[in-house]
Amino acid sequence: MRAAANITDSAPVRGGKPGKRPASRKRFWKTFRNQKYLYLMSIPFVIWVFVFSYLPLWGWTMAFQKYKPARSFFEQEWVGFEHFKTLFHDEQFLLSLRNTLAMSTMGLIAGFVFPILFAILLNEVRLSVFKRFAQTISYLPHFVSWVVAAGIVTKMLSTDNGLVNDVLLGLGLIHEPIQFMAKGHLFWGIVTLSDVWKETGWNAIIYLAAIAGIGPELYEAARVDGASRFRQIWHITLPGIRPTIIVLLIMSVGNLLNIGFEKQFLLGNNLVTDYSQVLDLYSLKYGLGMARYSFGTAINIFNSVISVVLLFTINGIFKRTTKESLL
């Protein structure tokens, strides 16, 4: 009887080890008591995220309705996936998707290569006065609105005393001014280069911070071993900022389709519509502009779903190959 009682008392609880859940709860409440002020400080941000990020998801139901603003939720006509079927059979949607993928991919590549190169070059500058001056000048375009930036770009590419055409004419590379803003096949490059000019300095800040966190003793040891500056960059600087590069790359790929519409709207015109129209402009024009609210919601759902899929996909790839991930 005593042996049976011992066996009964030591038998594991179904679903795991005995006392595992109570111990976890105790640890949680102990941590909560020790860090209660941090938890209290996070409450406003949690509320903000819930109100502006999760609560609006209720509006996704409009994509499955023939939404009429004058009707209540229960009076709406449900149409299932009709708007999504219309979406994937629309040539303008496919054109917008092509333009979005093209410009976002070009922007992703340029938006990573140029800030990293710029940060490394600034880190190699030994004259502190020039370094601070270059940093300040490179940050300034970020604080200029796209309305002003688009006006500057348009003026520089103008055929009437535009800087780019004047330089090309002066060097003898062209014989007559080029109408850059009227050529659709040049629009993607113009948008990408404009974004590089505007955001390179700002995006380089985080890489400069990551480089500053690399121990100087590593560079000293490399110099003692006779490593050149290029070798130090290749074997110390780039590996040192690799985690930062991976995290930012994962986040950027997740937002591949969410490139906005300001640049395309301000730099585009009727002559380059086939190259300037992106998904956000398509949603604005054919959804909100034509009072097709359900159709516009379906477009935004497509963007969100694809972004989540891309985020988890690229995160899984990096997790398997580099053992580093965001999620």
Side-chain angles (χ1 to χ4, degrees), residues 29-315:
W29 288 112
K30 183 179 179 180
T31 304
F32 181 81
R33 285 194 299 269
N34 294 334
Q35 303 180 0
K36 56 185 176 182
Y37 295 110
L38 293 177
Y39 282 103
L40 291 175
M41 289 173 60
S42 67
I43 289 176
F45 301 99
V46 173
I47 295 174
W48 185 89
V49 170
F50 176 78
V51 171
F52 292 99
S53 297
Y54 287 95
L55 197 59
L57 292 178
W58 175 258
W60 279 15
T61 56
M62 293 169 54
F64 308 96
Q65 302 170 344
K66 192 173 182 180
Y67 180 76
K68 301 293 183 182
R71 299 179 183 177
S72 67
F73 176 79
F74 298 100
E75 295 175 341
Q76 301 294 336
E77 178 185 352
W78 293 85
V79 295
F81 291 92
E82 179 180 334
H83 298 298
F84 292 93
K85 294 178 182 178
T86 303
L87 184 66
F88 290 110
H89 287 87
D90 189 354
E91 293 183 358
Q92 288 297 318
F93 167 74
L94 299 177
L95 183 67
S96 302
L97 181 61
R98 182 204 68 175
N99 296 337
T100 303
L101 289 174
M103 279 184 275
S104 59
T105 302
M106 293 171 65
L108 177 66
I109 296 172
F112 263 88
V113 174
F114 285 98
I116 293 173
L117 290 177
F118 184 68
I120 292 174
L121 290 175
L122 278 181
N123 184 64
E124 293 299 314
V125 174
R126 297 294 178 249
L127 188 59
S128 59
V129 176
F130 177 77
K131 184 177 181 178
R132 289 196 297 269
F133 175 77
Q135 284 181 292
T136 303
I137 294 299
S138 65
Y139 299 161
L140 290 179
H142 171 78
F143 299 99
V144 177
S145 70
W146 265 111
V147 176
V148 177
I152 295 173
V153 172
T154 302
K155 180 60 179 176
M156 290 181 65
L157 298 177
S158 173
T159 57
D160 184 16
N161 295 325
L163 177 63
V164 175
N165 275 308
D166 288 347
V167 170
L168 293 177
L169 288 170
L171 295 175
L173 298 177
I174 57 176
H175 300 290
E176 59 181 12
I178 300 175
Q179 295 182 345
F180 289 99
M181 306 306 296
K183 296 183 180 296
H185 64 279
L186 298 177
F187 185 80
W188 295 347
I190 292 172
V191 169
T192 302
L193 293 177
S194 301
D195 200 33
V196 168
W197 160 70
K198 191 173 185 298
E199 302 296 339
T200 293
W202 182 259
N203 292 336
I205 294 176
I206 192 168
Y207 298 112
L208 287 169
I211 293 173
I214 301 175
E217 64 276 2
L218 296 176
Y219 293 101
E220 293 175 3
R223 284 193 293 268
V224 170
D225 291 338
S228 62
R229 283 196 175 185
F230 178 78
R231 288 292 182 182
Q232 294 175 36
I233 293 172
W234 186 258
H235 294 288
I236 299 176
T237 306
L238 288 177
I241 64 175
R242 189 183 70 171
T244 303
I245 295 174
I246 291 175
V247 170
L248 293 178
L249 180 60
I250 293 173
M251 295 176 64
S252 298
V253 171
N255 290 312
L256 197 63
L257 296 182
N258 299 319
I259 62 173
F261 65 91
E262 295 88 354
K263 303 183 288 290
Q264 293 78 12
F265 180 75
L266 295 169
L267 292 173
N269 54 67
N270 293 332
L271 298 175
V272 296
T273 301
D274 290 344
Y275 293 87
S276 64
Q277 182 170 278
V278 292
L279 287 176
D280 286 340
L281 272 177
Y282 176 77
S283 175
L284 182 65
K285 181 178 180 180
Y286 292 94
L288 185 62
M290 300 177 65
R292 300 170 66 189
Y293 305 111
S294 298
F295 189 69
T297 305
I299 300 171
N300 292 327
I301 289 178
F302 172 81
N303 284 355
S304 300
V305 171
I306 295 300
S307 297
V308 171
V309 171
L310 288 173
L311 178 62
F312 279 95
T313 301
I314 193 67
N315 184 77

